[in-house]
Amino acid sequence: MTDAEVVKKEELADAHDVKLTPFTIFRYAYSVVLLIFSIVLVVSLMFTGNTKLAADVSPWAALFVCIAAVVWLSMIEGQQASLVGLPPVDPELYKDTHPVTYLNAATAFLGDNLDRYLMGRQFMVLLVVFIINLCGAPTSGDADVLGMPGWLKTIFLDVGLGMIIFTCQLGQLTTQVNASHCMLDFINNYFALFTLYTAMCIEFSGIMHSSYLIQNILSLASGKPIHSNEEPKRGFTLLFFWGRVLMSLAILGFSLAVVISALFQGRTMMAVKYPSVSNGASVFLFFFLMCIVGMLEGMQIAFFAVAKLPASARGTTFFGRKTCDLLFKGNGQNLPGFMIGRQLTVVASFFIVASITSMNIQPGNEDGNIFGVSDSAQAFLNLGFHAAVITTILASITWQLAASAFPIAFLNNPVTYVLLCFALFLEWTGLCAGAWVLARIMKKALKYEYDEVYVGTPEERAANNHADKDFADDTGKMYGGGFRGHAVGSRDALDGPIQSKDDFDEEAAEETPVEASA
């Protein structure tokens, strides 16, 4: 390697590192302190029998299941950033240096497998979060742990700030930060490949297939075709597909019936954790939070969809223009800020929804199981499977598809502006800024390198006859958490501004006279 190549590699090695300022260091420090306290709090709750799994099974079981769930969640979240960002890159560039990444890509990028993975992945995220809730969330806001005063219990137990910080930093943001720029290294392991196949198996099972019906309905309503990389389904394949759609609708209907019936009977963890909340209010809160989560899931899809549009075409109402002015003002830094604040809000909502939907029914109790199901079936429902089905379909995928079909309508909604302001405020607080510290430690420990070290920047790949492929039309696509990736070796929503079409037009206008004179 020549001296020039060595210098260039060193420059690329820290191309995306955050520049430290006194305020940044302060945010990192107090966020890490909050994380350490949250970890101690969660473990203490387990070993004092104040979480559901610790009380029903054992504290050690709760601890080990929680660790496994957080580790798997971190892979699920990071793998998405890698698999959504890699499709444009020629696989031959990393076939030899990252053989397992190549296997991941060969599977995920075949036909419509990426969509299948993203649908299965979304269900996995919800199910794993609900399991973490069973392991670590307090069964009561008045739990006696660490001698905490009442006001601190309200913040960390009632509001759930401890579990939010614990889950966001350890299970989500840390690996998202690394995987967004170290895609090749992050999934170059068989754990990632196992996670990919698990997600695709979940999709194949048909549990989520009612989402495809919603996708078709929205496609007809918007007049936008559904892009597919496969031949139209025919014969048995078509029959099998619609059979799974019907099965999924039946599962969804049963899951809704279970939750609503349990809420009206006061037989969920909501009645235990928040006894002052009436059954009717619990039902309202359930649907309200589903809508909030849905709006946040849809907003990110809408924001990325309009990011490349001219400013004049982004918002057509007062609130639409206010939303776009706030989101894209200055250097566009509010877009990545929204993504972080959104993550906090969604996780907080998921934990409350988990409390609302988790069954407080011991199999074989004298009051009977829900709908008279068998003890084994009741034990299965107590794991939160039904809640994950409802939340994935009705509070996540449906709203993502709606935002993909009608992005401008989402921007024009006044609720979008309110939620954007709230998400930006949460990001400003720096509650999860410690994730960048953990990401740096993880990157050093696992010896991750930024992708451009291996495959160059988009411009370099183009100059070497390996230009990136164009992104496929994403109409009707399901992007899971909504992160659509970025050009490998360039910037993304966790790293810096995303240029709009106006910016590109201005750059082109500035370059044209120079080129003409040349």
Side-chain angles (χ1 to χ4, degrees):
M1 186 177 290
T2 65
D3 291 342
E5 289 175 332
V6 171
V7 171
K8 182 178 179 181
K9 183 173 181 179
E10 290 176 351
E11 291 176 350
L12 292 175
D14 63 356
H16 304 282
D17 290 349
V18 176
K19 306 305 178 186
L20 297 179
T21 65
F23 182 61
T24 303
I25 294 172
F26 168 75
R27 279 161 47 102
Y28 284 174
Y30 103 86
S31 179
V32 169
V33 170
L34 282 177
L35 174 61
I36 293 172
F37 176 73
S38 297
I39 293 172
V40 172
L41 176 62
V42 170
V43 175
S44 298
L45 285 168
M46 293 176 186
F47 282 91
T48 53
N50 283 303
T51 73
K52 185 168 177 58
L53 192 61
D56 292 348
V57 185
S58 78
W60 285 105
L63 178 63
F64 288 128
V65 171
C66 186
I67 292 173
V70 169
V71 170
W72 203 3
L73 179 63
S74 67
M75 172 54 72
I76 295 168
E77 293 286 8
Q79 185 184 47
Q80 180 202 12
S82 295
L83 290 180
V84 174
L86 281 174
V89 180
D90 184 353
E92 293 299 320
L93 290 174
Y94 55 83
K95 181 178 181 179
D96 295 327
T97 59
H98 295 77
V100 186
T101 297
Y102 182 81
L103 288 177
N104 274 276
T107 302
F109 305 154
L110 180 65
D112 290 334
N113 280 353
L114 185 57
D115 277 350
R116 296 186 179 102
Y117 157 75
L118 289 170
M119 180 181 287
R121 168 220 168 265
Q122 192 72 4
F123 176 78
M124 289 172 68
V125 168
L126 271 297
L127 186 59
V128 172
V129 167
F130 287 163
I131 291 173
I132 292 172
N133 178 73
L134 290 175
C135 296
T139 52
S140 171
D142 294 327
D144 186 15
V145 59
L146 299 179
M148 294 167 58
W151 65 270
L152 203 58
K153 286 183 181 180
T154 300
I155 296 173
F156 280 89
L157 300 184
D158 277 340
V159 177
L161 185 61
M163 282 299 293
I164 294 168
I165 292 174
F166 176 85
T167 305
C168 279
Q169 291 203 45
L170 294 181
Q172 296 179 303
L173 290 176
T174 298
T175 50
Q176 287 176 352
V177 169
N178 276 332
S180 64
H181 293 300
C182 306
M183 304 179 195
L184 296 172
D185 281 341
F186 188 83
I187 60 172
N188 192 40
N189 57 80
Y190 287 99
F191 184 31
L193 192 62
F194 169 75
T195 301
L196 170 63
Y197 279 116
T198 301
M200 291 181 60
C201 286
I202 290 173
E203 188 279 340
F204 179 79
S205 72
I207 297 169
M208 301 289 107
H209 265 50
S210 52
S211 300
Y212 290 121
L213 176 62
I214 297 169
Q215 182 185 31
N216 279 272
I217 293 172
L218 289 171
S219 176
L220 290 173
S222 64
K224 297 179 180 179
I226 299 173
H227 175 83
S228 176
N229 297 316
E230 298 177 352
E231 293 295 323
K233 297 177 177 63
R234 296 185 179 87
F236 175 78
T237 303
L238 183 64
L239 184 65
F240 184 52
F241 172 81
W242 285 108
R244 285 179 290 172
V245 170
L246 293 176
M247 179 193 72
S248 176
L249 288 171
I251 292 173
L252 177 61
F254 176 75
S255 298
L256 279 169
V258 166
V259 168
I260 294 173
S261 175
L263 283 173
F264 276 118
Q265 295 176 41
R267 305 182 74 186
T268 72
M269 291 304 297
M270 189 71 177
V272 176
K273 190 172 181 180
Y274 306 103
S276 60
V277 179
S278 67
N279 295 339
S282 295
V283 174
F284 169 78
L285 192 60
F286 169 64
F287 286 105
F288 174 76
L289 288 174
M290 294 267 282
C291 291
I292 294 297
V293 172
M295 281 295 300
L296 290 166
E297 294 281 16
M299 282 166 61
Q300 59 183 338
I301 298 292
F303 290 166
F304 278 107
V306 303
K308 302 298 184 183
L309 294 179
S312 59
R314 287 174 181 160
T316 57
T317 67
F318 172 78
F319 280 105
R321 289 188 291 271
K322 290 274 288 182
T323 296
C324 291
D325 289 345
L326 178 59
L327 187 66
F328 298 107
K329 77 172 184 178
N331 65 354
Q333 200 67 36
N334 279 347
L335 182 55
F338 161 76
M339 296 294 289
I340 305 304
R342 169 212 159 270
Q343 190 83 37
L344 283 165
T345 311
V346 168
V347 171
S349 299
F350 280 163
F351 280 124
I352 299 175
V353 169
S355 295
I356 294 173
T357 56
S358 296
M359 301 285 102
N360 185 32
I361 302 174
Q362 289 297 327
N365 70 92
E366 61 182 17
D367 293 328
N369 299 329
I370 194 79
F371 295 147
V373 300
S374 66
D375 289 353
S376 58
Q378 183 62 62
F380 179 71
L381 288 173
N382 288 349
L383 296 175
F385 172 86
H386 62 290
V389 170
I390 296 170
T391 312
T392 303
I393 297 174
L394 298 184
S396 184
I397 292 177
T398 296
W399 293 77
Q400 291 172 19
L401 292 171
S404 178
F406 305 102
I408 303 301
F410 263 79
L411 288 178
N412 290 339
N413 190 329
V415 178
T416 297
Y417 181 72
V418 173
L419 290 176
L420 172 61
C421 292
F422 183 68
L424 290 175
F425 168 75
L426 284 181
E427 190 278 333
W428 176 83
T429 64
L431 288 172
C432 284
W436 272 257
V437 178
L438 298 181
R440 182 71 68 89
I441 294 172
M442 178 183 180
K443 181 175 178 290
K444 293 290 185 182
L446 298 180
K447 298 182 179 179
Y448 286 168
E449 296 282 2
Y450 289 125
D451 294 316
E452 49 266 49
V453 172
Y454 301 111
V455 296
T457 65
E459 295 76 16
E460 290 170 341
R461 293 194 293 274
N464 292 324
N465 297 319
H466 286 283
D468 291 356
K469 294 174 286 186
D470 292 334
F471 281 101
D473 179 8
D474 63 348
T475 302
K477 292 290 190 181
M478 297 175 211
Y479 282 98
F483 177 71
R484 293 174 54 191
H486 67 288
V488 174
S490 68
R491 304 177 70 83
D492 79 329
L494 293 174
D495 179 55
I498 294 180
Q499 285 183 296
S500 70
K501 187 175 183 300
D502 291 342
D503 299 325
F504 287 123
D505 290 344
E506 289 176 7
E507 290 177 2
E510 292 173 357
E511 293 172 0
T512 299
V514 177
E515 293 173 356
S517 61

